[in-house]
């Protein structure tokens, strides 16, 4: 399963040291530039491989791909070809990029295939059908419980039995680089007699990972934890923007709504499960034992470093959080098995986010709510400024990468600036 | 606004007495039959007007519609033309169907345009982008509060201030006639020490109406209650299937998830806001006064009779509920204004359901949970059988129609049979 490839791979493409987009990664995304309409590319170092040009030139001719499959505005149709096909495309590109492979390296078309990443604009990688957000970090759920409920019984009774989740808003998922507007809404602080209306005063990020489904199911069918991975195409970084004051007033009894639905930001490159395979680790032990349909043997988590930075207007970024995807109590396989156990059907391009990924230490908390502990412990930025929540003009940047031996597989970043209420 | 048209309209099409699909209605839907691929039609009496044939024959030639706009598998592209255009198409069809209009009546193409409704299969009318469910009936919210929380303080503190809502699952919304499977899941009754897994023992319907959005907004923008109607294309009947035992165990703190996401059924004909205009009425008074962005003058509710029937396997239906859409505390304009006040963007084809529509009397409750009061008062069917919840083999049928003077505008029905767990 998660053994390191025995061979060290080298490529003829310029890959800066510590690049997230190594020859081991090869994530898929949708890009365009001044000259090119939206299309599917694979990132490698400072370049993007334009798959549509490769295809036209016959480099995938033995795979019988539908014509124009890479000349698309989303990855959905490509992903829908199924893992055996998409895997093969990625493997073929990896082969073409190997240092000693001459096919593309010495081909006259090379200049047209290899696009500068710097000059490309990254778009939403998929058209998201349904978006689900889980709540799978025990540290995060415990912190929230301590702050808002009983510190002695911080976890709710169902938490260790089900990967708690809820449906989110798909329309407002946006790619890195798109600014967001501070949301307006109703809130009622304990000291207010009546609810008030205005811009949120407690805008927050949530550090999450999300997976994109790659295979549909029919209504009434379920996915087992064992088969779950075959239904996952890949992952992105996910910033689940949250307005804490709006959320607090609205969420009982039907859950978060306008406190979340104004925006969620994702990183634009979809890192495949294949690229993440070497970084799999066992998840935390689950006590009490879970019900049969949630049982999972083996390595279901990913050892993936996660970081959050805040950059106030025109100033440099300060790291405010250092977490890891491996902290998750519930694995993605368990999330997907739970999501479908009632027969809920999944489509290609659904997005399922992890919930805030917090660790055990105070510097690993995945939201301002926790980092500044409900506003009681403001955090200091390198600029000298303090933050309890996110202010207008702040850019929030999330990064994620896995490292092992010589291999580095990363996500680049999801970066979004907060603009004042529109 | 809601005045009765001064002229009585008559048509040359056979319209049975009490047909929901009168000349005043003319709802849009997607149909196919043995001969015809999916396309857009308008229902009238026993017939469907095949709009694609009308268009090809030049009956809309002065409207400059995109070619093939009616030869589609969903209404989305048509709806996206905007209300001025879709309104004009409906008005043109109404004109063509008038008793004394010869254009279509005496045209050789008439036989090809008028399809038998009986022989048509109705498909999903729209591709649903995002689906939202509100909770806007004060009687329903009060009943639930009495059963599960404090009978003295049945309504939660936020209920009269915000049209409470939550995101639902769009992928499992299905058209009338599609059977559903009893969902499996986790539940933990108060008497159980640990949660158990199995088919839901408390399967329920929820009688709702849903509107379909017809115009998009950009992120950061909001819709005022005054403008809301311009963003609504039309309505359908909505059965928000619910598994009460699964829901009860999962919903704290993030809201309903698997207790709902296994299926929601809708009626296939979309009745336009124009057709419903004569049936508008004022909603209940709202106390305390709502915040400014939720204020609404005039008639925001619809006087629409709603009925629910249960038909056990191979047996006749028994009416179990008689309610009315006019009972809603929060109007659709308020729902849409609230949904977008935080800048959440709306797309064409979003679906927003009302929440269970209960009235003040016991026979007007819109769910089995309320009708049989948490299983304590089983209801008797005409077959002699009793029901606390919905059993395998039961078909649940919802009907809705408005009547005034000579006019009847109805939805047909949403009917779905419950099959045993798959």
């Amino acid at each position: 399963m998660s053994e390191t490839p025995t061979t060290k791979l080298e490529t003829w493409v310029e890959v800066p040291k510590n690049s997230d987009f190594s020859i081991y990664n090869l994530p898929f995304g949708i890009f365009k530039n001044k000259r090119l309409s939206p299309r599917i590319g694979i990132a490698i170092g400072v370049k993007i491989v334009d798959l549509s040009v490769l295809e036209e030139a016959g480099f995938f001719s033995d795979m019988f791909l539908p014509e124009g499959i890479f000349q698309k505005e989303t990855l959905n149709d490509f992903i829908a070809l199924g893992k055996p096909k998409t895997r093969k495309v990625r493997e073929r590109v990896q082969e073409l990029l190997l240092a000693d492979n001459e096919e593309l390296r010495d081909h006259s078309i090379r200049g047209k295939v290899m696009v500068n990443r710097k000059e490309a604009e990254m778009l939403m990688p998929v058209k998201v059908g349904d978006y689900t957000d889980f709540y799978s970090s025990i540290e995060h759920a415990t912190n929230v419980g301590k702050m808002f409920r009983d510190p002695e019984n911080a976890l709710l009774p169902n938490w260790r039995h089900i990967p708690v989740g809820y449906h989110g808003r798909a329309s407002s998922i946006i790619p890195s680089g798109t600014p967001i507007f501070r949301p307006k809404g109703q809130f009622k602080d304990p000291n207010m007699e009546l609810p008030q209306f205005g811009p949120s005063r407690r805008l927050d990020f949530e550090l999450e990972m999300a997976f994109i489904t790659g295979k549909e199911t029919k209504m009434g069918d379920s996915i087992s934890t064992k088969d779950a991975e075959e239904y996952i195409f890949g992952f992105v970084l996910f910033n689940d923007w949250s307005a804490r004051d709006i959320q607090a007033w609205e969420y009982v009894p039907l859950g978060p709504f306008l406190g979340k639905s104004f925006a969620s930001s994702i990183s634009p490159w979809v890192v495949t499960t294949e690229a993440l395979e070497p970084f799999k680790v066992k998840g935390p032990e689950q006590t009490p034992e879970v019900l049969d349909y949630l049982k999972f043997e083996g390595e279901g988590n990913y050892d993936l470093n996660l970081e959050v930075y805040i950059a106030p207007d025109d100033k440099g970024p300060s790291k405010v959080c250092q977490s890891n995807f491996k902290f998750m109590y519930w694995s993605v396989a368990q999330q997907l098995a739970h999501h479908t156990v009632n027969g809920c059907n999944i489509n290609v391009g659904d997005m399922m986010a992890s919930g805030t990924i917090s660790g055990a230490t105070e510097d690993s908390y995945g939201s301002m709510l926790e980092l500044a502990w409900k506003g009681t412990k403001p955090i200091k930025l390198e600029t000298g400024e303090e933050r309890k929540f996110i202010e207008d003009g702040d850019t929030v940047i999330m990064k994620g990468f896995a490292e092992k031996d010589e291999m580095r597989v990363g996500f680049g970043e999801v970066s979004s600036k907060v603009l004042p209420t529109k």
Side-chain angles (χ1 to χ4, degrees), chain A residues 21-40:
Chain A
F21 305 120
S22 70
I23 183 76
Y24 303 101
N25 189 351
L26 306 179
F28 291 89
I30 301 290
F31 75 98
K32 68 172 186 182
N33 64 22
K34 277 182 193 158
R35 205 168 41 84
L36 304 172
S37 61
R39 60 194 58 206
I40 300 181

Side-chain angles (χ1 to χ4, degrees), chain A residues 289-334:
Chain A
E289 200 180 35
V290 298
L291 282 165
D292 281 349
Y293 77 94
L294 289 169
K295 282 184 184 146
F296 181 77
E297 291 295 321
E299 298 172 327
N301 280 27
Y302 296 92
D303 183 357
L304 187 64
N305 302 294
L306 298 169
E307 301 171 338
V308 185
Y309 298 80
I310 297 176
D313 234 348
D314 306 320
K315 289 173 205 151
S318 302
K319 195 198 281 190
V320 296
C321 163
Q322 169 90 44
S323 187
N324 195 303
F325 193 27
K326 73 180 175 191
F327 297 151
M328 303 303 290
Y329 188 86
W330 295 101
S331 70
V332 293
Q334 291 177 316

